[in-house]
Amino acid sequence: MSAATAPAAGRKPLAVLLLVPVLAALALWTFAWPAARTAPRDLPVGVAGPAAVADGVARELGRREGAFEIHRYEDAATARSAIENREVYGAVVVTPSGPELLTASAGSPVVAGLLREAVTGPAAAEGRTVPVTDVVALPSGDPRGAVLGASLLPLALAGAASGVVTVLLGLRGARAAATVVGAAALAGLTAAALAHGWLGALTGNFWAEAGVLALTVLAIGAIFAGLATLLGKPGFGLAAVLTVLAGNAFSGMAGAPELLPSGIGLIGQWLPPGAGGTALRSVSFFDGAGAGDPLLVLSLWAAAGLTALALGGRRRTAPASAPTTTGPQTPVRAPAAG
């Protein structure tokens, strides 16, 4: 080994030793910090009933400063409709016999539990009982919503694998785009067959669920392939941060985006895993209500990734210009006539 290469070889282990703790700290911060700061922040909640008594309920909820965003409704039917349209997570309905609580565990079982605690807890301390109705309940195949919450990481890994393999195989342009799209479609159908048909964790239209799952995988796969095509190996790292790391940690699927620190939940909904999870909840349990924005986010990511993949492939496969030379040229003599 030459003297010039020896220092370079010695720096490589040092770089690994320094990089691994930094990556570990980044991953721990990304996942642990939001989990440690989980609390309701402007959770949309409805209050329905005559203003004279409903105002008191709204004031009681408002004592938890910043926890709830109160929406007022005339009656129970209007509040129930708002829950089914994903305008609010739940509602307190004031009736002549006392308050009733409407929840939607399919929207978030964690939030449904928080509402039960906030509404029924004070009543229980006074010896009163508050009836609770789960307007949009989770299916019996996934009563705690565990399957839905755990589905994001496999989708992110499937998308990452499709993008990485496409680039490593040297595919470019239309062939690369078709490969990423085809892999996403098959992954979406497979995931829907498992979650809907086998586990019974999804209860909506099968093809709509498969479409959302496929679009989520496509958005992630296109990000990996597009960034790697444009930036090379660093593109894989940037894509992993956006999707596998921050995308999953900030998605809010374990509870709700409004339970994450301020701003983090919003960022998560603009990344493919969070948008995909929200869209999947909407099409599976709420007849598509509230799916428009997350589907738009997924479509924009997919389009951007595929565009980057096409542009990067065209740039790399463009024919090189004719070489230019300077200095004297050696003339080429024609062969002598025989």
Side-chain angles (χ1 to χ4, degrees), residues 27-39 41 249-250 259-261 264:
L28 184 62
W29 173 84
T30 304
F31 282 92
W33 174 63
R37 298 293 185 268
T38 297
R41 297 174 176 86
F250 299 168
L259 298 180
L260 297 175
I264 295 299

Side-chain angles (χ1 to χ4, degrees), residues 17-270:
L17 292 175
L18 294 176
L19 183 60
V20 169
V22 171
L23 292 177
L26 177 62
L28 184 62
W29 173 84
T30 304
F31 282 92
W33 174 63
R37 298 293 185 268
T38 297
R41 297 174 176 86
D42 294 324
L43 275 170
V45 176
V47 175
V53 287
D55 287 343
V57 175
R59 285 194 299 270
E60 185 68 27
L61 292 174
R63 290 182 179 178
R64 301 180 64 173
E65 186 175 353
F68 300 111
E69 178 185 279
I70 306 300
H71 296 243
R72 298 297 296 269
Y73 300 102
E74 293 183 1
D75 50 33
T78 309
R80 181 184 290 267
S81 177
I83 295 172
E84 294 171 343
N85 290 326
R86 303 210 72 184
E87 297 173 10
V88 292
Y89 283 98
V92 181
V93 180
V94 181
T95 68
S97 58
E100 297 180 1
L101 175 63
L102 306 179
T103 63
S105 60
S108 171
V110 175
V111 172
L114 287 174
L115 291 178
R116 283 195 298 270
E117 178 184 347
V119 176
T120 65
E126 298 174 2
R128 296 183 291 109
T129 301
V130 176
V132 179
T133 301
D134 198 347
V135 176
V136 187
L138 284 165
S140 58
D142 187 24
R144 294 187 178 89
V147 174
L148 191 63
S151 64
L152 288 185
L153 183 57
L155 291 178
L157 294 178
S162 68
V164 170
V165 172
T166 296
V167 173
L168 293 183
L169 289 178
L171 300 177
R172 295 288 184 268
R175 291 181 63 196
T179 300
V180 173
V181 171
L186 293 176
L189 288 171
T190 302
L194 292 174
H196 184 115
W198 178 43
L199 297 174
L202 304 178
T203 59
N205 180 275
F206 173 85
W207 295 106
E209 294 165 352
V212 170
L213 292 165
L215 185 57
T216 304
V217 175
L218 174 60
I220 297 171
I223 292 171
F224 269 87
L227 288 177
T229 302
L230 288 178
L231 305 178
K233 291 181 180 179
F236 287 142
L238 179 57
V241 170
L242 289 173
T243 59
V244 179
L245 191 61
N248 279 277
F250 299 168
S251 68
M253 284 301 290
E258 293 86 356
L259 298 180
L260 297 175
S262 299
I264 295 299
L266 180 61
I267 293 173
Q269 293 304 297
W270 279 98

